[in-house]
């Protein structure tokens, strides 16, 4: 499925609903994947994303070293793979290979896109001043991609201990809110 | 419906899925409500929540002055009221009255609980050092309440411009992730 470029001004609408995402990093030719749910939009444009990445994660060191990552948004189709990524450690596991996920080159960062995710957000670390105290990175999305065939993505939302809410129906209410 | 005390250690599971929430504040006897989607968990226990509250919001000044608020989690039952709160301004609107919502006293903070929300999280500002640059407050949840009758809450998740995803089915996948 060919991804299309997605406007940076619309990125907030992908993350604001709170899906579990897969964060990819790459260091010295070693790509890794981690599952993440602790993220929030912080600015519309350029899109800023605040996220918590524990320093116990293998990805923490890669992100600190390269200052680049990709936020990949999966749907329920690969929920088991997402949980697999969350339950394994990058130091001892080639997660792309183990979970049958496909790395694709990004355009602006060294970390790979995950082909099987319906959206991919290439990010650079914009502000690391909250890392020491909270393991919080502020990322700027510098390029976004989307599968145009996916209109109402069945994203997954973690409630804890492997329990996920799957995105349900879409409703529209007249609003002035962006 | 009588709310029950909810363990602080489980609060993350309420916010991690990314629902739209209603934040209540109270200053000089004037309670207010604002809709908010830009929040993330930052720590399990004590539960820390990072959230972006624009200084264009009436609630910003109340929160800065009192350092207290309540995060109330609505379901689709009151989606129209949520949008109403997001589309009106606290300076000129008594939102509890206008939208038929019921304020109840909290136990540890001066801001009120919204009775019609299935969960209520009483919060104090734990860290305001990111407010100037990002309008980001770090809140500590000091007391939590839940409607025990609501098992799989049909929370609403904002995709932008009044489009919401409603929480769908729940799935469980064996996982070691907290």
């Amino acid at each position: 499925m060919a991804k299309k470029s997605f406007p940076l001004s619309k990125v907030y609408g992908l993350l604001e609903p709170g899906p579990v995402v897969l964060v990819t990093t790459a260091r010295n030719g070693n790509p890794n994947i981690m599952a993440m749910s602790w993220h929030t939009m912080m600015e519309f444009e350029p899109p800023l994303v605040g996220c918590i990445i524990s320093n116990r994660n293998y990805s923490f060191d890669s992100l600190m070293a390269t200052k680049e990552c990709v936020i990949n948004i999966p749907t329920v189709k690969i929920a088991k793979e997402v949980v697999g990524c969350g339950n394994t450690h990058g130091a001892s596991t080639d997660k792309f290979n183990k979970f049958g996920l496909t790395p694709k080159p990004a355009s602006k960062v060294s970390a790979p896109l995950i082909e099987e995710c319906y959206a991919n957000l290439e990010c650079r670390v914009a502000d690391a001043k909250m890392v020491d105290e909270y393991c919080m990175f502020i990322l700027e999305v510098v390029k976004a991609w989307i599968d145009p065939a996916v209109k109402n993505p069945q994203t997954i939302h973690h409630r804890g201990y492997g329990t996920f809410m799957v995105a349900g129906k879409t409703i529209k209410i007249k609003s002035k809110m962006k």
Side-chain angles (χ1 to χ4, degrees), chain A residues 53-116:
Chain A
I53 294 179
S54 164
N55 52 19
R56 295 185 302 273
N57 286 111
Y58 185 70
S59 301
F60 179 91
D61 289 337
S62 296
L63 186 54
M64 284 298 275
T66 65
K67 299 285 194 288
E68 294 179 347
C69 66
V70 178
I71 296 175
N72 305 272
I73 311 180
T75 63
V76 69
K77 278 187 191 175
I78 57 168
K80 283 184 186 173
E81 289 82 353
V82 170
V83 172
C85 287
N87 279 265
T88 48
H89 198 268
S92 53
T93 311
D94 174 348
K95 299 193 192 182
F96 277 101
N97 184 52
K98 185 174 177 72
F99 300 111
L101 299 171
T102 312
K104 294 279 183 181
S107 69
K108 297 198 169 181
V109 302
S110 57
L113 315 178
I114 300 176
E115 174 73 359
E116 289 78 7

Side-chain angles (χ1 to χ4, degrees), chain A residues 12 16 44 171-178:
Chain A
Y12 76 95
E16 194 168 309
F44 286 106
I171 61 173
K172 173 104 182 142
I173 299 174
K174 193 175 175 184
S175 173
K176 296 177 290 188
M177 288 190 291
K178 184 174 182 183

Side-chain angles (χ1 to χ4, degrees), chain A residues 114-163:
Chain A
I114 300 176
E115 174 73 359
E116 289 78 7
C117 288
Y118 89 97
N120 312 95
L121 312 175
E122 302 183 22
C123 298
R124 291 205 185 99
V125 174
D127 188 335
K129 77 166 79 74
M130 298 290 272
V131 171
D132 280 353
E133 195 169 356
Y134 295 105
C135 290
M136 177 176 213
F137 293 86
I138 299 178
L139 306 173
E140 178 182 339
V141 181
V142 294
K143 179 71 190 172
W145 302 95
I146 203 159
D147 177 347
V150 177
K151 295 301 181 196
N152 290 309
Q154 282 200 287
T155 48
I156 58 174
H157 301 250
H158 193 226
R159 289 209 179 111
Y161 295 100
T163 300

